[in-house]
Amino acid sequence: MENPFAEGENRIIRPPGTAIVIFGATGDLTHRKLIPALYNLAYDDYMPSNFVVVGAARTPLSDEDFRKNLFESVKKHSRRTINDELWQRFSQNIYYQQLDGTSLESFVKLRERLQSLEKKRAETLNYLYYLATSPSFFGPIATNLRGAGLVEDPKAAARSTSLIIEKPFGHDLASARELNSVLRKSFAEEQIFRIDHYLGKETVQNILVFRFANGIFEPLWNHNFIDHIQISFCEDIGVGSRAGYFDQSGILRDIVQNHLLQILALLCIEPPYSLSDADAIRDEKVKVLRAIRRLKPEDVARQTVRAQYTKGFVNGESAIGYMEEKGIAATSQTETFAALRLEVDNWRWSGVPIYVRAGKRLAKRITEISIAFKRAPESLFRGRQVGELDQNILAIQVQPNEGISLKICSKPPGPRLRVRPVVMDFTYGHSFGVPSPDAYERLLLDSMKGDASLFTRDDEIEEAWDLLAPVLEQWALPAGGKVARPPLHTYEAGTWGPAAAATLLKEQKHRWRRL
């Protein structure tokens, strides 16, 4: 297994020869993210020296038609301007196979096609299967891959075979366990890569380096010095074309259960014994998720808030409400905003509240982690300082402007001894002189190398669902039942969410950070 943290700055470690099979190859994810990511890896010379990409879907297409369609997508979605010569070389490795995900016969034909392509390259290629499909096909595809002889024993095979799965990983705890059980009938756990693209973002990866490579922060990373933590995921867009899926899911399932709990786990882990071992990192993440205090039914109303957006103005433009979006059920109780107050019940984080919020149609698009340190004693500044001393805030912005800032207190120029906050910051674009790669580039590269550090394990998925189970149960209670269902608040599009969200922080005299 390659160690992603041990690579020298100018050292390129290419994966072994790989055949990447993308199921759902005519879909949006393939065209917007996967093929542009692979193209950019080729641009940076990170792709294997010997590779093929096989798109598989129901639609009848020739190899050439598939390549032409992908060319237009890469031209539109690549972070770099397309290079015609590079595209010609890259695209000659792309093929298309018509396939029915429920038909074993289709998978036998896929096996024959892969064998034929492999024979031309005179090299045994690793097989990497990417499920960019509806979750309803995850089980049938995994089963048919095994049935067609396209999955090999990881301990005895001449080649590795791996399966990448896009979220959602189940709809609740029971369905997540069922999905894990189905997948493990065809693949070993070590062969399954559950992808959460947030873990591929540079600032999220940097949490480990920031904590453990800087001696000034890790000694402060505990309840003795940290007052509270906030994790905010804010979007200014509505549900758009995803209305059908989103109305069945809600933002708690869509964002909090995966992206934000993964960030929380990385932020709060104990030092793993090694950053070279994927399971060493994932073991510690599971410990954090397991240590988060489970909410009792009576706690849900007090420690969670849910809401839907109504019509308003976003960035100066009129925006319709959630119930007016096309494809939303007339009786929908689906939340577009969720906020929770959580606490990690272990020694390091005892008594430190962690506030999590996620919402659509908010004032602007930003994802940020903020760590608020405890205030310094104010007695020294009595008579000189008006108001409280500001807290030191370490803010990690995940998107759109990836970077880290630190707010400290300082004396402004002038004869008076006063204290004012100042901010020191850096952004990836300015500090390193290059734009951050797309998250899928890193994750696809790691999966080809067999490095699972940034992928979620089965027990992580189940712990996250277990944590949210009482919240989902209370929010789904029928109206007018014996136990009161927590209210569904509303907020105007273009604001920062419902006023009720502020009540989660009032008990500790905290406020949501201005973003």
Side-chain angles (χ1 to χ4, degrees):
M1 181 184 297
E2 303 288 357
N3 173 10
F5 299 95
E7 297 178 10
E9 185 176 349
N10 299 313
R11 184 183 175 199
I12 296 177
I13 300 178
R14 295 186 187 86
T18 306
I20 305 168
V21 182
I22 301 175
F23 296 94
T26 56
D28 188 56
L29 178 64
T30 302
H31 286 257
R32 282 194 311 109
K33 292 294 185 181
L34 302 185
I35 299 300
L38 292 172
Y39 170 77
N40 279 287
L41 287 174
Y43 191 104
D44 289 329
D45 205 20
Y46 281 122
M47 286 297 286
S49 56
N50 203 352
F51 74 93
V52 296
V53 178
V54 178
R58 288 178 179 268
T59 306
L61 282 175
S62 67
D63 292 341
E64 196 55 41
D65 286 341
F66 186 51
R67 291 167 184 166
K68 287 179 181 178
N69 293 343
L70 293 178
F71 175 76
E72 295 302 320
S73 298
V74 173
K75 190 163 63 171
K76 182 178 181 180
H77 298 293
S78 170
R79 64 185 175 92
R80 291 189 175 96
T81 302
I82 199 163
N83 178 292
D84 290 336
E85 183 181 347
L86 174 62
W87 173 257
Q88 286 302 317
R89 293 199 310 270
F90 174 75
S91 64
Q92 290 308 304
N93 296 291
I94 297 177
Y95 303 88
Y96 185 82
Q97 181 74 23
Q98 187 177 5
L99 178 137
D100 178 352
T102 62
S103 166
L104 180 59
E105 182 182 354
S106 285
F107 285 80
V108 172
K109 291 179 180 178
L110 174 63
R111 184 192 68 205
E112 293 169 352
R113 185 75 184 278
L114 288 172
Q115 290 171 341
S116 173
L117 293 172
E118 193 173 42
K119 188 175 181 180
K120 291 178 182 178
R121 281 158 175 75
E123 180 183 345
T124 299
L125 302 178
N126 292 335
Y127 289 168
L128 181 64
Y129 308 118
Y130 200 117
L131 304 192
T133 68
S134 164
S136 62
F137 288 103
F138 290 174
I141 290 175
T143 301
N144 283 324
L145 284 169
R146 167 66 70 176
L150 285 167
V151 183
E152 300 191 32
D153 184 344
K155 297 179 181 178
R159 77 172 95 243
S160 74
T161 51
S162 304
L163 186 74
I164 302 180
I165 305 175
E166 275 282 342
K167 76 176 184 77
F169 314 112
H171 190 72
D172 53 20
L173 179 57
S175 59
R177 284 175 172 165
E178 174 63 21
L179 176 59
N180 283 333
S181 175
V182 169
L183 294 177
R184 284 196 296 265
K185 290 177 182 177
S186 300
F187 288 83
E189 174 59 30
E190 64 198 80
Q191 295 175 300
I192 302 172
F193 290 70
R194 297 170 188 82
I195 197 167
D196 183 337
H197 72 270
Y198 253 63
L199 295 184
K201 292 183 177 293
E202 287 289 347
T203 38
V204 175
Q205 296 173 46
N206 197 31
I207 291 172
L208 294 176
V209 175
F210 188 82
R211 277 190 60 185
F212 302 128
N214 294 295
I216 61 173
F217 288 111
E218 179 55 27
L220 309 180
W221 217 257
N222 57 64
H223 67 276
N224 291 316
F225 298 96
I226 292 179
D227 182 56
H228 71 278
I229 295 171
Q230 295 183 24
I231 304 174
S232 299
F233 175 98
C234 307
E235 289 186 321
D236 55 5
I237 60 172
V239 294
S241 61
R242 299 177 71 235
Y245 161 75
F246 188 89
D247 202 41
Q248 297 297 316
S249 173
I251 201 130
L252 191 70
R253 288 183 171 97
D254 192 40
I255 300 298
V256 177
Q257 185 274 336
N258 40 75
H259 300 334
L260 300 194
L261 289 184
Q262 285 292 317
I263 289 175
L264 187 158
L266 272 178
L267 196 69
C268 296
I269 63 171
E270 294 297 319
Y273 78 84
S274 171
L275 293 178
S276 300
D277 186 323
D279 279 328
I281 299 171
R282 299 194 293 183
D283 287 346
E284 297 301 331
K285 286 167 62 184
V286 170
K287 290 178 185 177
V288 172
L289 293 173
R290 194 169 290 152
I292 297 175
R293 185 181 301 166
R294 271 41 179 175
L295 299 182
K296 298 176 182 178
E298 58 269 25
D299 296 329
V300 173
R302 188 169 56 88
Q303 292 184 230
T304 72
V305 169
R306 63 186 186 123
Q308 268 184 11
Y309 63 82
T310 58
K311 65 181 181 179
F313 291 86
V314 180
N315 299 322
E317 296 184 2
S318 176
I320 61 174
Y322 180 73
M323 297 302 292
E324 286 78 54
E325 298 276 11
K326 186 178 180 180
I328 301 301
T331 57
S332 176
Q333 289 284 299
T334 302
E335 79 287 350
T336 62
F337 177 96
L340 301 87
R341 184 174 77 241
L342 303 172
E343 187 170 340
V344 180
D345 250 346
N346 61 18
W347 181 90
R348 181 184 289 268
W349 298 108
S350 179
V352 178
I354 301 176
Y355 304 105
V356 175
R357 62 175 167 172
K360 289 186 173 293
R361 282 289 188 220
L362 299 181
K364 68 177 180 179
R365 174 178 176 261
I366 184 172
T367 300
E368 184 192 81
I369 306 158
S370 63
I371 296 95
F373 292 88
K374 292 184 177 180
R375 284 186 171 86
E378 298 182 355
S379 57
L380 194 62
F381 298 93
R382 286 188 189 133
R384 293 183 174 273
Q385 177 66 14
V386 178
E388 292 182 323
L389 294 177
D390 276 53
Q391 287 181 292
N392 300 130
I393 303 289
L394 176 67
I396 303 170
Q397 191 172 142
V398 178
Q399 65 177 12
N401 301 313
E402 297 179 314
I404 299 175
S405 67
L406 178 64
K407 184 171 78 171
I408 61 172
C409 292
S410 182
K411 177 189 174 298
R416 297 183 64 190
L417 182 62
R418 301 291 294 275
V419 180
R420 290 289 182 270
V422 295
V423 176
M424 301 186 296
D425 61 9
F426 89 89
T427 60
Y428 278 82
H430 288 127
S431 297
F432 297 111
V434 293
S436 297
D438 183 82
Y440 278 94
E441 294 175 36
R442 172 63 187 271
L443 294 169
L444 283 166
L445 181 62
D446 280 2
S447 62
M448 285 187 280
K449 292 180 177 181
D451 185 343
S453 300
L454 299 177
F455 296 84
T456 49
R457 207 168 56 190
D458 56 350
D459 49 353
E460 291 181 69
I461 298 296
E462 293 178 14
E463 287 294 339
W465 279 120
D466 182 69
L467 170 64
L468 295 181
V471 182
L472 292 169
E473 289 171 6
Q474 293 297 303
W475 286 6
L477 288 173
K482 292 182 179 180
V483 180
R485 178 173 62 188
L488 179 66
H489 300 278
T490 59
Y491 61 99
E492 286 187 17
T495 65
W496 285 109
T503 63
L504 293 179
L505 291 74
K506 282 185 177 179
E507 188 176 317
Q508 301 286 342
K509 298 182 180 179
H510 297 145
R511 293 181 299 176
W512 289 111
R513 174 172 154 82
R514 291 184 179 179
L515 301 175

